[in-house]
Amino acid sequence: MKSLIDILDLTTQELDELIATAQDIIANPAKYATSCHGKKLATLFFEPSTRTRMSFEAAMYELGGNVISVTGAGTSSAAKGESVADTAKTVSCYTDIIAIRHPKEGAAYVTAKNATVPVINAGDGGHCHPTQTLADLLTIYREKGRLNNMTIGVCGDLKFGRTVHSLINAMSRYDNIKFILISPEELQVPTYVTKDVLEQKGIPYVQTTDLEAVMPELDILYMTRVQRERFFNEEDYLRLKDSYILNMDKLKNAKPDLSILHPLPRVNEISVAVDDDPRACYFKQVLNGKYMRMALILKLLKEAGQL
Ligand code: NCD
């Protein structure tokens, strides 16, 4: 059973095919309006979400399918102590595909091991978030017309930011990519990403604390929120939360064709004045996420023999 737990579960060719399907959905939505007729998606969200859950649900409805859901750890039998494995076996009886978000790293993997339907990781703790990366890739592709030959700045909480880990893994597959990793020293990318991905593949990267100094080099600037819920104490969060606030002044030396991305939610790491700049792509990124999730649901249900 094919599931999507880590972005590396998909080959580069599969990523390219998902982008092509999403673009066809954008061009011909009516062609897909009944593709998932009679099928159900279960969204199991044990952590807060606006975009990811709603875009999965909107995606399934726009494919003509139906949705059943659990929102919030307190409203399901998880609150009574049910294991992730038992939940997976149970939910498999009701649905054709599962999207799960969980605060524990590895929970989506355990779900996939125990489910009898395809499972999509919608974020597992501070580990990874492959479908946000699908949204990011389509956004970069639509803005730049390519996924290679670029310098990508990733800024903010690179330690706990799961979207960052998946994005670096995905982009490290494409040619001539350079990463500039901008964060406070305490919030640097984990070594399982720098050593095991970037260094292993010989991908150039620098780590810095200074966003403005590197701004002129960037083709993509991927801003992130400081992940309050993953901190061990509130004091550290309060000290680090405003490390980077992107405003128009900080963009004065940026390339005219820079693309600014953010997985959202924004707290205050991008000033609202930036929203009107044509380089701001984060709300387009939200919409792109829905199209990529439509493409992914179609792919996984087809591979499971359901379509
Ligand atoms: C991200 C997440 O949940 O990891 N949000 C999202 O899914 N778009 C980023 C975040 O919460 O900061």
Side-chain angles (χ1 to χ4, degrees), residues 139-144 150-153 218-223 246 251 254-262 277-282 284-285:
T139 306
I140 296 171
Y141 188 76
R142 292 182 82 189
E143 295 303 315
K144 295 273 177 258
M150 58 182 88
T151 298
I152 303 174
L218 306 180
D219 299 299
I220 304 288
L221 172 56
Y222 194 95
M223 295 295 296
L246 183 67
L251 281 169
K255 288 187 182 174
D257 66 345
L258 171 73
S259 297
I260 305 164
L261 278 70
H262 189 310
D277 189 289
R279 293 171 289 190
C281 299
Y282 26 93
K284 294 189 212 171
Q285 202 178 343

PDB file of all heavy atoms in Angstrom, residues 139-144 150-153 218-223 246 251 254-262 277-282 284-285:
ATOM      1  N   THR A 139       4.365  26.046  -5.979  1.00  0.00           N
ATOM      2  CA  THR A 139       4.488  27.507  -5.928  1.00  0.00           C
ATOM      3  C   THR A 139       5.802  27.950  -6.576  1.00  0.00           C
ATOM      4  O   THR A 139       5.809  28.867  -7.418  1.00  0.00           O
ATOM      5  CB  THR A 139       4.412  27.995  -4.468  1.00  0.00           C
ATOM      6  OG1 THR A 139       3.201  27.480  -3.888  1.00  0.00           O
ATOM      7  CG2 THR A 139       4.408  29.517  -4.388  1.00  0.00           C
ATOM      8  N   ILE A 140       6.881  27.295  -6.213  1.00  0.00           N
ATOM      9  CA  ILE A 140       8.182  27.663  -6.801  1.00  0.00           C
ATOM     10  C   ILE A 140       8.134  27.452  -8.315  1.00  0.00           C
ATOM     11  O   ILE A 140       8.556  28.300  -9.104  1.00  0.00           O
ATOM     12  CB  ILE A 140       9.337  26.859  -6.153  1.00  0.00           C
ATOM     13  CG1 ILE A 140       9.463  27.215  -4.657  1.00  0.00           C
ATOM     14  CG2 ILE A 140      10.665  27.104  -6.882  1.00  0.00           C
ATOM     15  CD1 ILE A 140      10.410  26.332  -3.862  1.00  0.00           C
ATOM     16  N   TYR A 141       7.555  26.319  -8.721  1.00  0.00           N
ATOM     17  CA  TYR A 141       7.497  26.014 -10.146  1.00  0.00           C
ATOM     18  C   TYR A 141       6.650  27.040 -10.916  1.00  0.00           C
ATOM     19  O   TYR A 141       7.034  27.523 -11.979  1.00  0.00           O
ATOM     20  CB  TYR A 141       6.940  24.598 -10.356  1.00  0.00           C
ATOM     21  CG  TYR A 141       7.045  24.179 -11.795  1.00  0.00           C
ATOM     22  CD1 TYR A 141       8.267  23.783 -12.332  1.00  0.00           C
ATOM     23  CD2 TYR A 141       5.943  24.235 -12.637  1.00  0.00           C
ATOM     24  CE1 TYR A 141       8.388  23.441 -13.668  1.00  0.00           C
ATOM     25  CE2 TYR A 141       6.052  23.896 -13.973  1.00  0.00           C
ATOM     26  CZ  TYR A 141       7.279  23.506 -14.486  1.00  0.00           C
ATOM     27  OH  TYR A 141       7.391  23.183 -15.813  1.00  0.00           O
ATOM     28  N   ARG A 142       5.512  27.408 -10.343  1.00  0.00           N
ATOM     29  CA  ARG A 142       4.645  28.372 -11.040  1.00  0.00           C
ATOM     30  C   ARG A 142       5.255  29.769 -11.063  1.00  0.00           C
ATOM     31  O   ARG A 142       5.061  30.527 -12.011  1.00  0.00           O
ATOM     32  CB  ARG A 142       3.254  28.421 -10.393  1.00  0.00           C
ATOM     33  CG  ARG A 142       2.479  27.134 -10.589  1.00  0.00           C
ATOM     34  CD  ARG A 142       1.087  27.223  -9.982  1.00  0.00           C
ATOM     35  NE  ARG A 142       0.147  27.900 -10.864  1.00  0.00           N
ATOM     36  CZ  ARG A 142      -1.080  28.267 -10.502  1.00  0.00           C
ATOM     37  NH1 ARG A 142      -1.500  28.032  -9.267  1.00  0.00           N
ATOM     38  NH2 ARG A 142      -1.873  28.873 -11.350  1.00  0.00           N
ATOM     39  N   GLU A 143       5.989  30.108 -10.008  1.00  0.00           N
ATOM     40  CA  GLU A 143       6.596  31.449  -9.955  1.00  0.00           C
ATOM     41  C   GLU A 143       7.830  31.546 -10.826  1.00  0.00           C
ATOM     42  O   GLU A 143       8.065  32.555 -11.480  1.00  0.00           O
ATOM     43  CB  GLU A 143       6.967  31.817  -8.507  1.00  0.00           C
ATOM     44  CG  GLU A 143       5.785  31.957  -7.568  1.00  0.00           C
ATOM     45  CD  GLU A 143       4.754  32.993  -8.034  1.00  0.00           C
ATOM     46  OE1 GLU A 143       5.159  34.095  -8.447  1.00  0.00           O
ATOM     47  OE2 GLU A 143       3.541  32.679  -7.986  1.00  0.00           O
ATOM     48  N   LYS A 144       8.646  30.502 -10.805  1.00  0.00           N
ATOM     49  CA  LYS A 144       9.968  30.574 -11.441  1.00  0.00           C
ATOM     50  C   LYS A 144      10.043  29.816 -12.766  1.00  0.00           C
ATOM     51  O   LYS A 144      11.009  29.993 -13.512  1.00  0.00           O
ATOM     52  CB  LYS A 144      11.033  29.976 -10.497  1.00  0.00           C
ATOM     53  CG  LYS A 144      11.219  30.764  -9.210  1.00  0.00           C
ATOM     54  CD  LYS A 144      12.244  31.870  -9.443  1.00  0.00           C
ATOM     55  CE  LYS A 144      12.442  32.730  -8.260  1.00  0.00           C
ATOM     56  NZ  LYS A 144      11.766  34.031  -8.340  1.00  0.00           N
ATOM     57  N   MET A 150      18.857  27.556  -8.373  1.00  0.00           N
ATOM     58  CA  MET A 150      18.441  28.687  -7.535  1.00  0.00           C
ATOM     59  C   MET A 150      19.038  28.628  -6.133  1.00  0.00           C
ATOM     60  O   MET A 150      19.455  27.575  -5.664  1.00  0.00           O
ATOM     61  CB  MET A 150      16.920  28.827  -7.468  1.00  0.00           C
ATOM     62  CG  MET A 150      16.178  27.657  -6.958  1.00  0.00           C
ATOM     63  SD  MET A 150      14.401  27.998  -7.019  1.00  0.00           S
ATOM     64  CE  MET A 150      13.983  27.455  -8.649  1.00  0.00           C
ATOM     65  N   THR A 151      19.056  29.819  -5.540  1.00  0.00           N
ATOM     66  CA  THR A 151      19.514  29.951  -4.156  1.00  0.00           C
ATOM     67  C   THR A 151      18.291  30.151  -3.277  1.00  0.00           C
ATOM     68  O   THR A 151      17.495  31.068  -3.501  1.00  0.00           O
ATOM     69  CB  THR A 151      20.488  31.144  -4.027  1.00  0.00           C
ATOM     70  OG1 THR A 151      21.624  30.858  -4.844  1.00  0.00           O
ATOM     71  CG2 THR A 151      20.944  31.338  -2.585  1.00  0.00           C
ATOM     72  N   ILE A 152      18.154  29.251  -2.301  1.00  0.00           N
ATOM     73  CA  ILE A 152      16.964  29.252  -1.450  1.00  0.00           C
ATOM     74  C   ILE A 152      17.367  29.645  -0.034  1.00  0.00           C
ATOM     75  O   ILE A 152      18.180  28.966   0.594  1.00  0.00           O
ATOM     76  CB  ILE A 152      16.318  27.847  -1.428  1.00  0.00           C
ATOM     77  CG1 ILE A 152      15.983  27.403  -2.856  1.00  0.00           C
ATOM     78  CG2 ILE A 152      15.067  27.836  -0.546  1.00  0.00           C
ATOM     79  CD1 ILE A 152      15.479  25.985  -2.962  1.00  0.00           C
ATOM     80  N   GLY A 153      16.811  30.731   0.450  1.00  0.00           N
ATOM     81  CA  GLY A 153      17.020  31.131   1.842  1.00  0.00           C
ATOM     82  C   GLY A 153      15.874  30.600   2.675  1.00  0.00           C
ATOM     83  O   GLY A 153      14.704  30.774   2.317  1.00  0.00           O
ATOM     84  N   LEU A 218      19.272  35.881  -2.788  1.00  0.00           N
ATOM     85  CA  LEU A 218      18.182  34.898  -2.756  1.00  0.00           C
ATOM     86  C   LEU A 218      17.245  34.956  -3.958  1.00  0.00           C
ATOM     87  O   LEU A 218      16.823  36.032  -4.383  1.00  0.00           O
ATOM     88  CB  LEU A 218      17.346  35.092  -1.486  1.00  0.00           C
ATOM     89  CG  LEU A 218      18.102  35.081  -0.157  1.00  0.00           C
ATOM     90  CD1 LEU A 218      17.132  35.276   1.002  1.00  0.00           C
ATOM     91  CD2 LEU A 218      18.901  33.800   0.008  1.00  0.00           C
ATOM     92  N   ASP A 219      16.895  33.758  -4.462  1.00  0.00           N
ATOM     93  CA  ASP A 219      15.821  33.637  -5.456  1.00  0.00           C
ATOM     94  C   ASP A 219      14.502  33.303  -4.760  1.00  0.00           C
ATOM     95  O   ASP A 219      13.425  33.687  -5.219  1.00  0.00           O
ATOM     96  CB  ASP A 219      16.148  32.524  -6.455  1.00  0.00           C
ATOM     97  CG  ASP A 219      17.424  32.824  -7.215  1.00  0.00           C
ATOM     98  OD1 ASP A 219      17.449  33.852  -7.915  1.00  0.00           O
ATOM     99  OD2 ASP A 219      18.407  32.066  -7.070  1.00  0.00           O
ATOM    100  N   ILE A 220      14.614  32.537  -3.666  1.00  0.00           N
ATOM    101  CA  ILE A 220      13.449  32.170  -2.850  1.00  0.00           C
ATOM    102  C   ILE A 220      13.785  32.535  -1.410  1.00  0.00           C
ATOM    103  O   ILE A 220      14.886  32.241  -0.941  1.00  0.00           O
ATOM    104  CB  ILE A 220      13.199  30.630  -2.886  1.00  0.00           C
ATOM    105  CG1 ILE A 220      13.043  30.093  -4.322  1.00  0.00           C
ATOM    106  CG2 ILE A 220      12.024  30.237  -1.994  1.00  0.00           C
ATOM    107  CD1 ILE A 220      11.757  30.456  -4.998  1.00  0.00           C
ATOM    108  N   LEU A 221      12.829  33.141  -0.721  1.00  0.00           N
ATOM    109  CA  LEU A 221      12.980  33.345   0.727  1.00  0.00           C
ATOM    110  C   LEU A 221      11.806  32.647   1.398  1.00  0.00           C
ATOM    111  O   LEU A 221      10.647  33.020   1.197  1.00  0.00           O
ATOM    112  CB  LEU A 221      12.992  34.829   1.088  1.00  0.00           C
ATOM    113  CG  LEU A 221      12.959  35.130   2.603  1.00  0.00           C
ATOM    114  CD1 LEU A 221      14.108  34.455   3.339  1.00  0.00           C
ATOM    115  CD2 LEU A 221      12.976  36.640   2.849  1.00  0.00           C
ATOM    116  N   TYR A 222      12.116  31.588   2.164  1.00  0.00           N
ATOM    117  CA  TYR A 222      11.084  30.785   2.827  1.00  0.00           C
ATOM    118  C   TYR A 222      11.092  31.138   4.307  1.00  0.00           C
ATOM    119  O   TYR A 222      11.981  30.735   5.048  1.00  0.00           O
ATOM    120  CB  TYR A 222      11.408  29.302   2.609  1.00  0.00           C
ATOM    121  CG  TYR A 222      10.283  28.336   2.932  1.00  0.00           C
ATOM    122  CD1 TYR A 222       9.419  27.890   1.935  1.00  0.00           C
ATOM    123  CD2 TYR A 222      10.095  27.847   4.221  1.00  0.00           C
ATOM    124  CE1 TYR A 222       8.404  26.989   2.215  1.00  0.00           C
ATOM    125  CE2 TYR A 222       9.078  26.942   4.510  1.00  0.00           C
ATOM    126  CZ  TYR A 222       8.238  26.519   3.498  1.00  0.00           C
ATOM    127  OH  TYR A 222       7.223  25.620   3.772  1.00  0.00           O
ATOM    128  N   MET A 223      10.138  31.961   4.726  1.00  0.00           N
ATOM    129  CA  MET A 223      10.050  32.400   6.122  1.00  0.00           C
ATOM    130  C   MET A 223       9.258  31.368   6.930  1.00  0.00           C
ATOM    131  O   MET A 223       8.355  30.718   6.400  1.00  0.00           O
ATOM    132  CB  MET A 223       9.328  33.755   6.218  1.00  0.00           C
ATOM    133  CG  MET A 223      10.037  34.922   5.566  1.00  0.00           C
ATOM    134  SD  MET A 223      11.617  35.340   6.354  1.00  0.00           S
ATOM    135  CE  MET A 223      11.103  35.868   7.994  1.00  0.00           C
ATOM    136  N   LEU A 246      10.302  40.171   8.694  1.00  0.00           N
ATOM    137  CA  LEU A 246      10.540  40.672   7.336  1.00  0.00           C
ATOM    138  C   LEU A 246       9.640  41.873   7.091  1.00  0.00           C
ATOM    139  O   LEU A 246       8.417  41.792   7.256  1.00  0.00           O
ATOM    140  CB  LEU A 246      10.231  39.561   6.324  1.00  0.00           C
ATOM    141  CG  LEU A 246      10.507  39.908   4.869  1.00  0.00           C
ATOM    142  CD1 LEU A 246      12.009  40.077   4.615  1.00  0.00           C
ATOM    143  CD2 LEU A 246       9.941  38.825   3.954  1.00  0.00           C
ATOM    144  N   LEU A 251      13.673  44.292   2.591  1.00  0.00           N
ATOM    145  CA  LEU A 251      13.625  43.785   1.208  1.00  0.00           C
ATOM    146  C   LEU A 251      14.303  44.725   0.211  1.00  0.00           C
ATOM    147  O   LEU A 251      14.333  44.442  -0.981  1.00  0.00           O
ATOM    148  CB  LEU A 251      12.158  43.587   0.793  1.00  0.00           C
ATOM    149  CG  LEU A 251      11.486  42.313   1.318  1.00  0.00           C
ATOM    150  CD1 LEU A 251       9.980  42.372   1.074  1.00  0.00           C
ATOM    151  CD2 LEU A 251      12.090  41.076   0.645  1.00  0.00           C
ATOM    152  N   ALA A 254      16.748  43.136  -2.034  1.00  0.00           N
ATOM    153  CA  ALA A 254      16.361  41.825  -2.566  1.00  0.00           C
ATOM    154  C   ALA A 254      16.246  41.882  -4.087  1.00  0.00           C
ATOM    155  O   ALA A 254      16.044  42.956  -4.661  1.00  0.00           O
ATOM    156  CB  ALA A 254      15.024  41.413  -1.960  1.00  0.00           C
ATOM    157  N   LYS A 255      16.346  40.708  -4.722  1.00  0.00           N
ATOM    158  CA  LYS A 255      16.159  40.650  -6.175  1.00  0.00           C
ATOM    159  C   LYS A 255      14.724  41.059  -6.533  1.00  0.00           C
ATOM    160  O   LYS A 255      13.791  40.733  -5.789  1.00  0.00           O
ATOM    161  CB  LYS A 255      16.401  39.220  -6.680  1.00  0.00           C
ATOM    162  CG  LYS A 255      17.850  38.803  -6.646  1.00  0.00           C
ATOM    163  CD  LYS A 255      18.026  37.448  -7.327  1.00  0.00           C
ATOM    164  CE  LYS A 255      19.484  37.031  -7.241  1.00  0.00           C
ATOM    165  NZ  LYS A 255      19.722  35.663  -7.742  1.00  0.00           N
ATOM    166  N   PRO A 256      14.563  41.705  -7.690  1.00  0.00           N
ATOM    167  CA  PRO A 256      13.201  42.101  -8.084  1.00  0.00           C
ATOM    168  C   PRO A 256      12.302  40.897  -8.337  1.00  0.00           C
ATOM    169  O   PRO A 256      11.078  41.005  -8.254  1.00  0.00           O
ATOM    170  CB  PRO A 256      13.404  42.904  -9.378  1.00  0.00           C
ATOM    171  CG  PRO A 256      14.854  42.835  -9.720  1.00  0.00           C
ATOM    172  CD  PRO A 256      15.602  42.186  -8.598  1.00  0.00           C
ATOM    173  N   ASP A 257      12.903  39.734  -8.655  1.00  0.00           N
ATOM    174  CA  ASP A 257      12.074  38.542  -8.899  1.00  0.00           C
ATOM    175  C   ASP A 257      12.180  37.521  -7.762  1.00  0.00           C
ATOM    176  O   ASP A 257      11.916  36.330  -7.958  1.00  0.00           O
ATOM    177  CB  ASP A 257      12.434  37.892 -10.244  1.00  0.00           C
ATOM    178  CG  ASP A 257      13.840  37.334 -10.249  1.00  0.00           C
ATOM    179  OD1 ASP A 257      14.644  37.693  -9.337  1.00  0.00           O
ATOM    180  OD2 ASP A 257      14.158  36.527 -11.146  1.00  0.00           O
ATOM    181  N   LEU A 258      12.539  38.006  -6.579  1.00  0.00           N
ATOM    182  CA  LEU A 258      12.505  37.126  -5.403  1.00  0.00           C
ATOM    183  C   LEU A 258      11.081  36.590  -5.214  1.00  0.00           C
ATOM    184  O   LEU A 258      10.116  37.311  -5.498  1.00  0.00           O
ATOM    185  CB  LEU A 258      12.905  37.946  -4.159  1.00  0.00           C
ATOM    186  CG  LEU A 258      12.729  37.278  -2.793  1.00  0.00           C
ATOM    187  CD1 LEU A 258      13.778  36.200  -2.570  1.00  0.00           C
ATOM    188  CD2 LEU A 258      12.810  38.318  -1.665  1.00  0.00           C
ATOM    189  N   SER A 259      10.961  35.334  -4.752  1.00  0.00           N
ATOM    190  CA  SER A 259       9.635  34.828  -4.348  1.00  0.00           C
ATOM    191  C   SER A 259       9.674  34.582  -2.844  1.00  0.00           C
ATOM    192  O   SER A 259      10.540  33.852  -2.355  1.00  0.00           O
ATOM    193  CB  SER A 259       9.303  33.519  -5.060  1.00  0.00           C
ATOM    194  OG  SER A 259       9.237  33.727  -6.446  1.00  0.00           O
ATOM    195  N   ILE A 260       8.728  35.196  -2.133  1.00  0.00           N
ATOM    196  CA  ILE A 260       8.670  35.041  -0.674  1.00  0.00           C
ATOM    197  C   ILE A 260       7.590  34.020  -0.347  1.00  0.00           C
ATOM    198  O   ILE A 260       6.413  34.212  -0.687  1.00  0.00           O
ATOM    199  CB  ILE A 260       8.344  36.381   0.012  1.00  0.00           C
ATOM    200  CG1 ILE A 260       9.333  37.460  -0.415  1.00  0.00           C
ATOM    201  CG2 ILE A 260       8.332  36.213   1.536  1.00  0.00           C
ATOM    202  CD1 ILE A 260       8.865  38.882  -0.093  1.00  0.00           C
ATOM    203  N   LEU A 261       8.006  32.940   0.310  1.00  0.00           N
ATOM    204  CA  LEU A 261       7.064  31.892   0.696  1.00  0.00           C
ATOM    205  C   LEU A 261       6.996  31.812   2.222  1.00  0.00           C
ATOM    206  O   LEU A 261       7.929  32.239   2.931  1.00  0.00           O
ATOM    207  CB  LEU A 261       7.514  30.530   0.129  1.00  0.00           C
ATOM    208  CG  LEU A 261       7.147  30.212  -1.324  1.00  0.00           C
ATOM    209  CD1 LEU A 261       7.910  31.060  -2.317  1.00  0.00           C
ATOM    210  CD2 LEU A 261       7.389  28.732  -1.627  1.00  0.00           C
ATOM    211  N   HIS A 262       5.926  31.262   2.716  1.00  0.00           N
ATOM    212  CA  HIS A 262       5.744  31.004   4.152  1.00  0.00           C
ATOM    213  C   HIS A 262       4.646  29.945   4.235  1.00  0.00           C
ATOM    214  O   HIS A 262       3.598  30.107   3.598  1.00  0.00           O
ATOM    215  CB  HIS A 262       5.305  32.298   4.863  1.00  0.00           C
ATOM    216  CG  HIS A 262       5.305  32.209   6.373  1.00  0.00           C
ATOM    217  ND1 HIS A 262       4.690  31.190   7.068  1.00  0.00           N
ATOM    218  CD2 HIS A 262       5.828  33.028   7.324  1.00  0.00           C
ATOM    219  CE1 HIS A 262       4.852  31.385   8.374  1.00  0.00           C
ATOM    220  NE2 HIS A 262       5.542  32.490   8.560  1.00  0.00           N
ATOM    221  N   ASP A 277       3.287  43.407  -1.819  1.00  0.00           N
ATOM    222  CA  ASP A 277       4.424  43.374  -2.741  1.00  0.00           C
ATOM    223  C   ASP A 277       4.225  42.186  -3.692  1.00  0.00           C
ATOM    224  O   ASP A 277       3.844  41.096  -3.250  1.00  0.00           O
ATOM    225  CB  ASP A 277       5.720  43.193  -1.932  1.00  0.00           C
ATOM    226  CG  ASP A 277       6.958  43.363  -2.791  1.00  0.00           C
ATOM    227  OD1 ASP A 277       7.235  42.472  -3.638  1.00  0.00           O
ATOM    228  OD2 ASP A 277       7.647  44.383  -2.629  1.00  0.00           O
ATOM    229  N   PRO A 278       4.456  42.377  -4.994  1.00  0.00           N
ATOM    230  CA  PRO A 278       4.235  41.256  -5.930  1.00  0.00           C
ATOM    231  C   PRO A 278       5.126  40.043  -5.657  1.00  0.00           C
ATOM    232  O   PRO A 278       4.843  38.943  -6.137  1.00  0.00           O
ATOM    233  CB  PRO A 278       4.561  41.857  -7.306  1.00  0.00           C
ATOM    234  CG  PRO A 278       5.167  43.197  -7.060  1.00  0.00           C
ATOM    235  CD  PRO A 278       4.840  43.622  -5.665  1.00  0.00           C
ATOM    236  N   ARG A 279       6.158  40.219  -4.855  1.00  0.00           N
ATOM    237  CA  ARG A 279       7.033  39.079  -4.539  1.00  0.00           C
ATOM    238  C   ARG A 279       6.450  38.179  -3.450  1.00  0.00           C
ATOM    239  O   ARG A 279       6.957  37.080  -3.223  1.00  0.00           O
ATOM    240  CB  ARG A 279       8.421  39.600  -4.129  1.00  0.00           C
ATOM    241  CG  ARG A 279       9.150  40.256  -5.298  1.00  0.00           C
ATOM    242  CD  ARG A 279      10.397  40.965  -4.875  1.00  0.00           C
ATOM    243  NE  ARG A 279      10.075  42.179  -4.126  1.00  0.00           N
ATOM    244  CZ  ARG A 279      10.964  43.111  -3.788  1.00  0.00           C
ATOM    245  NH1 ARG A 279      12.234  42.957  -4.138  1.00  0.00           N
ATOM    246  NH2 ARG A 279      10.597  44.187  -3.113  1.00  0.00           N
ATOM    247  N   ALA A 280       5.410  38.632  -2.775  1.00  0.00           N
ATOM    248  CA  ALA A 280       4.792  37.830  -1.706  1.00  0.00           C
ATOM    249  C   ALA A 280       3.938  36.728  -2.333  1.00  0.00           C
ATOM    250  O   ALA A 280       2.997  37.009  -3.069  1.00  0.00           O
ATOM    251  CB  ALA A 280       3.925  38.717  -0.821  1.00  0.00           C
ATOM    252  N   CYS A 281       4.273  35.484  -2.066  1.00  0.00           N
ATOM    253  CA  CYS A 281       3.574  34.362  -2.712  1.00  0.00           C
ATOM    254  C   CYS A 281       2.813  33.492  -1.729  1.00  0.00           C
ATOM    255  O   CYS A 281       2.272  32.465  -2.107  1.00  0.00           O
ATOM    256  CB  CYS A 281       4.588  33.463  -3.423  1.00  0.00           C
ATOM    257  SG  CYS A 281       5.487  34.297  -4.705  1.00  0.00           S
ATOM    258  N   TYR A 282       2.784  33.866  -0.435  1.00  0.00           N
ATOM    259  CA  TYR A 282       2.291  32.900   0.566  1.00  0.00           C
ATOM    260  C   TYR A 282       0.802  32.619   0.487  1.00  0.00           C
ATOM    261  O   TYR A 282       0.372  31.541   0.900  1.00  0.00           O
ATOM    262  CB  TYR A 282       2.727  33.271   1.999  1.00  0.00           C
ATOM    263  CG  TYR A 282       2.984  34.730   2.243  1.00  0.00           C
ATOM    264  CD1 TYR A 282       1.986  35.557   2.734  1.00  0.00           C
ATOM    265  CD2 TYR A 282       4.235  35.287   1.966  1.00  0.00           C
ATOM    266  CE1 TYR A 282       2.224  36.900   2.962  1.00  0.00           C
ATOM    267  CE2 TYR A 282       4.472  36.644   2.183  1.00  0.00           C
ATOM    268  CZ  TYR A 282       3.459  37.446   2.672  1.00  0.00           C
ATOM    269  OH  TYR A 282       3.690  38.781   2.878  1.00  0.00           O
ATOM    270  N   LYS A 284      -0.825  32.590  -2.457  1.00  0.00           N
ATOM    271  CA  LYS A 284      -0.912  31.715  -3.644  1.00  0.00           C
ATOM    272  C   LYS A 284      -0.521  30.283  -3.256  1.00  0.00           C
ATOM    273  O   LYS A 284      -1.078  29.309  -3.757  1.00  0.00           O
ATOM    274  CB  LYS A 284       0.059  32.194  -4.731  1.00  0.00           C
ATOM    275  CG  LYS A 284      -0.252  33.536  -5.333  1.00  0.00           C
ATOM    276  CD  LYS A 284       0.671  33.737  -6.542  1.00  0.00           C
ATOM    277  CE  LYS A 284       1.036  35.170  -6.761  1.00  0.00           C
ATOM    278  NZ  LYS A 284       2.089  35.345  -7.773  1.00  0.00           N
ATOM    279  N   GLN A 285       0.459  30.209  -2.347  1.00  0.00           N
ATOM    280  CA  GLN A 285       0.946  28.917  -1.854  1.00  0.00           C
ATOM    281  C   GLN A 285      -0.198  28.125  -1.177  1.00  0.00           C
ATOM    282  O   GLN A 285      -0.274  26.906  -1.323  1.00  0.00           O
ATOM    283  CB  GLN A 285       2.037  29.246  -0.834  1.00  0.00           C
ATOM    284  CG  GLN A 285       3.068  28.222  -0.516  1.00  0.00           C
ATOM    285  CD  GLN A 285       4.080  28.830   0.490  1.00  0.00           C
ATOM    286  OE1 GLN A 285       4.146  30.053   0.669  1.00  0.00           O
ATOM    287  NE2 GLN A 285       4.853  27.998   1.131  1.00  0.00           N
TER     288      GLN A 285
END
